[in-house]
Amino acid sequence: MADPKFEDRRLAEIYDPLEADRPDLDAYLAIVAESGARRMLDVGCGTGTFACLLAARGVEVIGVDPAEASLEVARGKPFADKVRWIHGDATSLPQLQVGLATMTANVAQVFLTDDDWAATLAGIRTALTPGGRLVFETRDPAFQGWLEWNREQTHTVADLEGVGEVETWCDLISVELPLVSFRGTYVFAADGAVLTSDSTLRFRSLGEIERSLQTAGFTVDEIRDAPDRPGREFVVLASKS
């Protein structure tokens, strides 16, 4: 099940305006160009920002996400008509043959159990052509990024077109490694509505990631740093064995 901020239509509609600056996607665009893939799968595509950027560049994209509200937002974007949108997840894909699969942002960390993670990797592997590549990022637990997830460091007020002022912040709920839970709060000045969205992420060590990929039938090609967040994330590149 998707988090409320992706599944609630009112929150899904403000996701992009609140996350307008996405320098993290530049590295993925470069990797897609580097790979030469012309058909790819975006797992956990959300509101479709990355998928539509690729479609604008002539790449054939399949975007899959379990949150229908986010997909509704995605379908309204420029070049969305060039993307094949699938409501679901990597474990229930139709027959596909893609050269590259991606999981951007926190997608790889929403799979909290070993079984869910293994099933997701298996689904992606099935969708890839022989030698096809998987690229994803995951936060380095050694950095302890959750220490910054508090109201003091995350509080913002944004004036959004057609919405009005929206006040947001994050509160850390619990740290029970490898799981970290937090809550996002959204206050709409227009009507005083207060909406919250609870999330939990799993922080995997680099060794755990590499072992899980090898077990799933992937070869780990390279571990990169996230250029926009050095020292905070692993960017993993693997190939279907």
Side-chain angles (χ1 to χ4, degrees), residues 3-120:
D3 294 342
K5 67 180 176 181
F6 303 116
E7 195 64 84
D8 183 286
R9 182 58 189 259
R10 191 170 188 183
L11 292 180
E13 287 177 340
I14 65 170
Y15 180 81
D16 290 321
L18 290 176
E19 301 286 342
D21 187 16
R22 293 294 306 274
D24 59 302
L25 297 181
D26 293 340
Y28 286 94
L29 290 170
I31 290 170
V32 173
E34 172 189 321
S35 73
R38 303 308 300 166
R39 191 166 194 256
M40 62 157 296
L41 172 67
D42 186 16
V43 177
C45 64
T47 58
T49 298
F50 184 52
C52 290
L53 284 172
L54 289 169
R57 288 161 170 76
V59 179
E60 183 181 351
V61 188
I62 299 98
V64 59
D65 199 278
E68 181 59 37
S70 291
L71 290 177
E72 289 174 5
V73 173
R75 293 185 186 105
K77 293 185 173 180
F79 296 98
D81 60 325
K82 305 295 185 184
V83 179
R84 179 181 177 184
W85 305 105
I86 298 175
H87 182 217
D89 58 40
T91 68
S92 57
L93 293 169
Q95 187 172 4
L96 301 173
Q97 287 287 281
V98 299
L100 179 69
T102 58
M103 290 186 282
T104 64
N106 292 326
V107 173
Q109 292 185 253
V110 305
F111 308 105
L112 305 184
T113 69
D114 291 337
D115 287 346
D116 284 348
W117 177 234
T120 297

Side-chain angles (χ1 to χ4, degrees), residues 100-156:
L100 179 69
T102 58
M103 290 186 282
T104 64
N106 292 326
V107 173
Q109 292 185 253
V110 305
F111 308 105
L112 305 184
T113 69
D114 291 337
D115 287 346
D116 284 348
W117 177 234
T120 297
L121 293 178
I124 292 171
R125 187 179 186 279
T126 299
L128 289 170
T129 56
R133 305 191 84 185
L134 166 63
V135 183
F136 64 91
E137 67 185 79
T138 184
R139 296 169 186 261
D140 183 355
F143 183 76
Q144 297 184 311
W146 56 82
L147 297 177
E148 301 173 349
W149 300 351
N150 54 68
R151 179 164 179 160
E152 180 181 0
Q153 292 177 270
T154 61
H155 180 268
T156 64

Side-chain angles (χ1 to χ4, degrees), residues 1 13-14 37 49 54 77 129 136 142 178 186-187 211 216 218-219 229 239:
M1 179 179 292
E13 287 177 340
I14 65 170
T49 298
L54 289 169
K77 293 185 173 180
T129 56
F136 64 91
Y186 306 81
V187 182
R211 287 190 296 272
F218 287 91
T219 298
R229 287 151 292 165
S239 298

